[in-house]
Amino acid sequence: MNSTRPLIFLVFLLILFACNTSNQERLFTEKEIKIVPTPAQMKLGEGFFSFNKNTTLVVTSEEEENYINPLRNKLAQAAGLDLKVEKVAPSKNFVQFILDENFKGEAYQLEVLEDKISIKASTKAGFTYAVASLQQLFPVELESSKLLESVAWQVPVITIDDEPRFVWRGLMLDVSRHFFEKEYIFDVIDRMAYLKLNTFHFHLVDDQGWRIEIKEYPKLTEVGAWRVDHEDKHWDARPTPQLGEEATLGGFYTQEEIKEIVAYAGTKGINVVPEIEMPAHVMSAIAAYPELSCHGNEIMVPPGGVWPITDIYCPGKESTFEFLENVLLEVMELFPSKYIHVGGDEATKTNWKTCKNCQRRMAEEGLKDEKELQSYFIKRMERFISSHGRTLIGWDEILEGGLAPGATVMSWRGTQGGWEASEQGHDVVMTPGSHVYFNFYQGVPDTEPVAFSGYTPLSKVYSFDPVVDSMSVAQKEHVLGGQANLWAEFITTNEQSEYMIFPRLVALSEVLWSPKEKLDWAGFSDRLKENILPRYDYQGINYARSSFSVTADTEVDLTSNVVKVKLQNEFPDSEIRYTLNGDDPGADSKIYQEPFELSKTATIKAGVFENGKQKGQTFEKTFHFHKAVGKDVSYNPVYHDSYQGAKEVGMVNVIRGSLNFHDKQWQAWLVDDMEVVIDMQREVPVNKITVGSMENQGSGIYFPVKVEALISKNGKDYTSVGKIEREFSHSGIPQLKDFVLDFNEQETRYIKVKAANLGKTPRGGNAWLFVDEIIVE
């Protein structure tokens, strides 16, 4: 008898059992269900539904076929499954849509059984969202554009009953500052629908470009859609163009393209809200039709930032309102949206004060000031818009001077405007810059693309709640929801736009859709990393990996000249590895476990690692323990109240300021020059002095035009040991710079450092001078 036969047979049975288990009896766990946004209710069953070449899609209309096409196309690409479409359901192995009027609004039910999948809803939005949830039950390989072998195309037996927390879940794209082709808009709409967002706010008009064809006024796009190309200069440092200069940069959407965008969004259950700015942010319109302004002066479309915004519509002329009403009539023909956004923000009323037409209007209407004139403007437009069955919505400045009775407020300057409007009985959409302005930095500015100076990391977006705790029950009922805004001053390409939107929009989608009690940062982080970002990798979406980056909190004890460093990452339980010798971190580098102390010069480099591979960028920071650390510093004049850094020891506390000038390390002077004196407490040999500075011309911060170091043994008689003078030059990139003064070694006790402020910016404003850390060696 061959003794090996029973053993071989046993192995065969084990292999067969394993295969049957993996292909026929797989059990999904709740931890494997990683849908974003997390559904209101889920009940996981046993078993799974398997998609194969015999699976049938049961549809009764072209509209239902549109719902399922995204999934059908993905299965064709990734799985090679060309699923057939039928009108009558077979006995098993099918996906079916069921129209059920008992489901209200955007609610849906997704029921997966072993032999069929049924989707119930009453609206196209509900069906679209159900399919999005079904897609996320598949393996992430579903998003592959290439055929993949050996993937089990299975989804778990599960019942999902789902509906949104808020009715307004939006994203605003600014296409005025930089124009984006309609194909990219289609991509954005697809990605919004996948995240169950339902409002696309289309910012079509601003000073730098008019982007929508208006047939009654062709010059709006012939002139207003184009500007002189100064993209090589900082947005806020671009020269005012001369009349007649060639304008080549821009673009616009024809009315046919607008119809395409609106129709496409409609198939996804997404409402497109047009924004036609007034009375300010309209220099593109005034460039086309100068008579719309108070004084009728000819201007060009500005190529960059404008502040203050004084070229605005004249409310003293009846022709202004005739123009706007004609424009809005065409806009309302193109957009079925209930809401028409009129902007209403940042109107500097200088010209209104000197305009005879405006002053006459104020006298006739009994208006006491220009704020009430703006209120008259908005109220008049609200009456016109409401007379056509639409609702006016505007930024929270429309509250000034009194709010039009039927208006809805979009609160961007924090949530106070929304609070006040809701108290007055108005509906509000919360979109505070603090949490949902996606043009702000999302990671350490030193390693991020140029952005606005605010800081809105992924976790901060997830902490957003449109409802303010102090609101009454009645006020809370007026909160429609919230949205993110991506202003495009610094966004010039599709890839840059994607980088700023994702994954922050994923976080926003959950806080606007899911029940508040289900929000959990740790759970969301896991679902994002495991289920969403891998899908974006397959799709080639250029999402930011900033949330994987390491940041550091530091505490300085200048009595013992010790710095305590705490490394952290946004995601809970991240594996952080670091070095202290300047080497790049690797899979074998030391794992960070608790805060550590530094007492000598070191360069920390750190990164987040998963499965031996680094995720995100490398954090790098040098702590330079130089001779002046902790020494006494006197200031003349003292730094500005707004930027005090670490106060008396701010210049000599080891910790360097970053490109985030709100990081509480920088000391700054407005218009004034800087002069500081460091008392070394005894005579020491010195041969090098380094002065750290920052420039961010878009925020009015400029490098010094002169830096000088002087030394003294008695604190009275000073000798210059080095001086750097530099000419001002335009720069579009925020940057850090060390001004280094080398000299022959000399004994000194007192060190005086002077830095000359630019004084006035090229545009006439007051210049900031930012300085941090004077390093003495």
Side-chain angles (χ1 to χ4, degrees):
M1 180 176 179
N2 189 338
S3 61
T4 62
R5 286 183 179 177
L7 181 60
I8 293 173
F9 184 67
L10 178 60
V11 172
F12 173 76
L13 288 177
L14 289 172
I15 294 173
L16 182 63
F17 177 77
C19 291
N20 286 339
T21 300
S22 62
N23 291 325
Q24 297 179 20
E25 299 176 8
R26 180 186 172 191
L27 295 177
F28 286 84
T29 65
E30 289 189 1
K31 289 184 178 180
E32 292 179 89
I33 311 304
K34 299 180 183 293
I35 296 173
V36 179
T38 192
Q41 297 181 50
M42 291 191 299
K43 184 178 181 181
L44 183 64
E46 295 184 0
F48 57 85
F49 179 94
S50 183
F51 282 79
N52 55 49
K53 63 181 180 179
N54 296 318
T55 303
T56 300
L57 305 176
V58 182
V59 300
T60 58
S61 67
E62 183 179 345
E63 189 171 60
E64 287 186 359
E65 193 167 348
N66 286 333
Y67 301 147
I68 202 67
N69 272 341
L71 176 57
R72 184 185 183 194
N73 294 338
K74 289 180 182 298
L75 282 169
Q77 283 187 324
L81 298 178
D82 186 12
L83 301 186
K84 54 187 176 182
V85 176
E86 301 288 349
K87 289 188 176 181
V88 178
S91 60
K92 61 180 180 178
N93 196 12
F94 63 90
V95 181
Q96 184 177 31
F97 294 97
I98 300 172
L99 182 65
D100 188 336
E101 297 297 340
N102 290 318
F103 286 82
K104 302 301 180 184
E106 300 167 297
Y108 70 88
Q109 181 187 76
L110 171 62
E111 185 179 35
V112 180
L113 302 175
E114 288 188 322
D115 60 347
K116 67 177 181 179
I117 297 175
S118 61
I119 297 172
K120 294 180 181 179
S122 64
T123 63
K124 63 181 65 178
F127 287 119
T128 297
Y129 302 152
V131 172
S133 290
L134 177 58
Q135 285 180 238
Q136 289 192 37
L137 292 174
F138 276 87
V140 297
E141 290 84 358
L142 177 69
E143 309 301 331
S144 173
S145 59
K146 297 179 181 179
L147 185 64
L148 298 177
E149 304 289 346
S150 304
V151 177
W153 302 107
Q154 301 166 347
V155 295
V157 169
I158 194 171
T159 300
I160 296 175
D161 288 284
D162 205 6
E163 61 182 348
R165 180 185 176 199
F166 293 104
V167 298
W168 187 299
R169 307 178 306 281
L171 170 67
M172 186 220 74
L173 280 192
D174 167 15
V175 296
S176 174
R177 273 53 178 267
H178 285 96
F179 179 69
F180 293 87
E181 301 289 346
K182 68 174 182 180
E183 288 75 17
Y184 178 65
I185 305 301
F186 291 154
D187 287 342
V188 170
I189 288 169
D190 284 341
R191 295 159 187 172
M192 289 177 63
Y194 188 73
L195 297 172
K196 303 181 176 69
L197 298 168
N198 67 354
T199 304
F200 178 60
H201 177 171
F202 212 0
H203 187 79
L204 292 161
V205 172
D206 217 299
D207 291 311
Q208 294 80 13
W210 184 286
R211 304 301 184 201
I212 178 173
E213 177 190 23
I214 302 296
K215 295 187 182 297
E216 180 80 8
Y217 302 101
K219 287 200 293 184
L220 287 173
T221 46
E222 291 172 1
V223 175
W226 308 94
R227 64 178 187 245
V228 177
D229 189 345
H230 282 302
E231 294 296 295
D232 60 323
K233 302 177 182 65
H234 190 280
W235 179 260
D236 287 317
R238 296 177 181 177
T240 300
Q242 300 299 309
L243 293 176
E245 273 194 77
E246 186 179 13
T248 58
L249 184 70
F252 65 93
Y253 306 101
T254 66
Q255 292 200 357
E256 289 305 309
E257 288 175 319
I258 291 290
K259 291 175 183 177
E260 287 182 58
I261 291 169
V262 170
Y264 187 77
T267 66
K268 308 287 183 179
I270 291 176
N271 180 44
V272 183
V273 176
E275 182 177 0
I276 307 298
E277 280 271 16
M278 60 185 79
H281 289 285
V282 293
M283 292 177 69
S284 55
I286 292 173
Y289 298 98
E291 63 273 17
L292 295 171
S293 66
C294 286
H295 303 305
N297 297 325
E298 291 188 25
I299 62 171
M300 296 279 286
V301 176
V306 177
W307 193 261
I309 303 170
T310 56
D311 283 311
I312 64 179
Y313 289 140
C314 176
K317 300 176 183 177
E318 279 301 303
S319 56
T320 300
F321 293 100
E322 178 185 355
F323 165 82
L324 289 171
E325 289 173 4
N326 289 337
V327 167
L328 289 179
L329 285 174
E330 292 195 33
V331 168
M332 288 187 284
E333 279 291 314
L334 297 169
F335 294 91
S337 168
K338 170 185 174 181
Y339 295 95
I340 304 295
H341 205 299
V342 299
D345 62 314
E346 298 182 332
T348 302
K349 305 166 185 67
T350 304
N351 290 344
W352 290 3
K353 293 179 180 180
T354 60
C355 172
K356 62 181 182 181
N357 293 310
C358 289
Q359 295 304 307
R360 183 181 67 247
R361 176 82 71 187
M362 290 170 61
E364 292 172 350
E365 299 293 335
L367 308 175
K368 67 179 182 181
D369 57 25
E370 284 72 23
K371 284 186 177 181
E372 289 195 359
L373 180 57
Q374 175 160 341
S375 177
Y376 164 85
F377 189 115
I378 296 299
K379 287 178 178 178
R380 181 163 172 175
M381 297 313 304
E382 191 275 334
R383 289 194 298 273
F384 175 77
I385 289 171
S386 62
S387 72
H388 288 80
R390 310 297 182 92
T391 298
L392 179 146
I393 185 170
W395 304 110
D396 53 57
E397 284 95 333
I398 67 173
L399 285 161
E400 296 173 4
L403 186 56
T408 296
V409 170
M410 189 167 276
S411 187
W412 73 278
R413 296 179 299 179
T415 55
Q416 184 60 31
W419 197 97
E420 293 175 8
S422 64
E423 188 183 38
Q424 297 174 27
H426 294 270
D427 287 344
V428 299
V429 176
M430 293 295 197
T431 178
S434 58
H435 287 74
V436 290
Y437 264 45
F438 286 3
N439 52 314
F440 288 176
Y441 284 104
Q442 57 192 309
V444 179
D446 302 49
T447 60
E448 289 287 311
V450 176
F452 274 78
S453 60
Y455 181 54
T456 309
L458 182 70
S459 56
K460 190 171 185 180
V461 176
Y462 196 78
S463 70
F464 171 57
D465 191 338
V467 174
V468 180
D469 289 340
S470 61
M471 285 179 167
S472 67
V473 173
Q475 283 179 281
K476 292 176 181 178
E477 291 178 353
H478 282 291
V479 179
L480 302 179
Q483 74 174 33
N485 299 322
L486 181 59
W487 302 101
E489 286 89 339
F490 302 136
I491 313 298
T492 61
T493 66
N494 297 350
E495 290 73 24
Q496 286 178 300
S497 180
E498 289 175 350
Y499 186 91
M500 301 304 283
I501 293 173
F502 301 104
R504 289 188 285 189
L505 193 65
V506 186
L508 182 67
S509 75
E510 182 148 303
V511 300
L512 295 179
W513 175 278
S514 303
K516 186 174 182 179
E517 63 272 14
K518 288 213 166 191
L519 299 180
D520 170 59
W521 172 245
F524 169 77
S525 300
D526 177 67
R527 286 178 283 115
L528 175 72
K529 291 189 291 183
E530 297 296 324
N531 196 37
I532 301 299
L533 298 186
R535 294 178 190 272
Y536 286 174
D537 286 330
Y538 273 112
Q539 294 173 36
I541 294 175
N542 185 40
Y543 66 87
R545 290 162 174 80
S546 314
S547 51
F548 288 100
S549 297
V550 176
T551 57
D553 280 347
T554 52
E555 294 180 14
V556 184
D557 183 352
L558 291 177
T559 60
S560 58
N561 281 358
V562 168
V563 175
K564 179 180 282 190
V565 181
K566 177 185 177 182
L567 300 179
Q568 56 198 7
N569 172 253
E570 285 197 85
F571 296 132
D573 303 320
S574 293
E575 178 186 306
I576 299 175
R577 292 182 179 268
Y578 71 99
T579 65
L580 296 177
N581 61 1
D583 290 345
D584 289 333
D588 297 327
S589 298
K590 187 173 182 179
I591 295 179
Y592 172 80
Q593 293 180 320
E594 61 184 4
F596 55 87
E597 293 183 347
L598 297 175
S599 58
K600 61 181 180 179
T601 297
T603 296
I604 300 175
K605 288 190 175 183
V608 171
F609 284 77
E610 289 184 4
N611 301 319
K613 294 184 178 180
Q614 185 173 344
K615 309 279 286 186
Q617 295 178 317
T618 298
F619 166 83
E620 179 177 353
K621 194 169 188 69
T622 297
F623 296 87
H624 197 148
F625 286 81
H626 53 94
K627 292 182 177 181
V629 172
K631 299 300 188 289
D632 294 334
V633 183
S634 58
Y635 297 81
N636 182 30
V638 74
Y639 37 78
H640 196 279
D641 286 344
S642 299
Y643 300 97
Q644 302 183 51
K647 298 187 176 178
E648 291 81 3
V649 296
M651 288 295 179
V652 289
N653 70 341
V654 182
I655 303 172
R656 301 294 302 272
S658 69
L659 281 175
N660 175 15
F661 57 83
H662 297 296
D663 65 8
K664 298 183 180 179
Q665 293 302 320
W666 293 100
Q667 295 181 326
W669 288 260
L670 184 62
V671 180
D672 292 330
D673 297 336
M674 179 203 81
E675 180 177 302
V676 301
V677 175
I678 304 170
D679 182 356
M680 302 296 289
Q681 298 171 353
R682 61 184 178 85
E683 291 187 16
V684 295
V686 174
N687 63 9
K688 184 178 180 180
I689 296 172
T690 302
V691 181
S693 186
M694 176 205 289
E695 184 164 76
N696 184 336
Q697 293 186 6
S699 298
I701 303 169
Y702 294 83
F703 283 142
V705 291
K706 183 170 73 171
V707 175
E708 184 178 13
L710 305 94
I711 62 174
S712 171
K713 292 184 177 182
N714 59 15
K716 297 178 181 178
D717 305 309
Y718 283 89
T719 302
S720 178
V721 292
K723 182 189 301 183
I724 296 174
E725 295 187 75
R726 58 181 295 277
E727 295 288 334
F728 164 76
S729 61
H730 287 286
S731 173
I733 303 173
Q735 54 188 312
L736 305 175
K737 182 178 177 63
D738 284 343
F739 292 85
V740 180
L741 299 165
D742 288 301
F743 49 93
N744 293 330
E745 186 172 278
Q746 299 185 49
E747 295 279 335
T748 187
R749 173 173 173 175
Y750 298 95
I751 298 171
K752 181 183 290 186
V753 177
K754 297 180 178 182
N757 195 322
L758 179 65
K760 290 291 183 181
T761 73
R763 299 171 65 191
N766 293 332
W768 285 99
L769 169 67
F770 271 60
V771 179
D772 180 52
E773 203 67 13
I774 297 174
I775 299 171
V776 177
E777 298 174 275

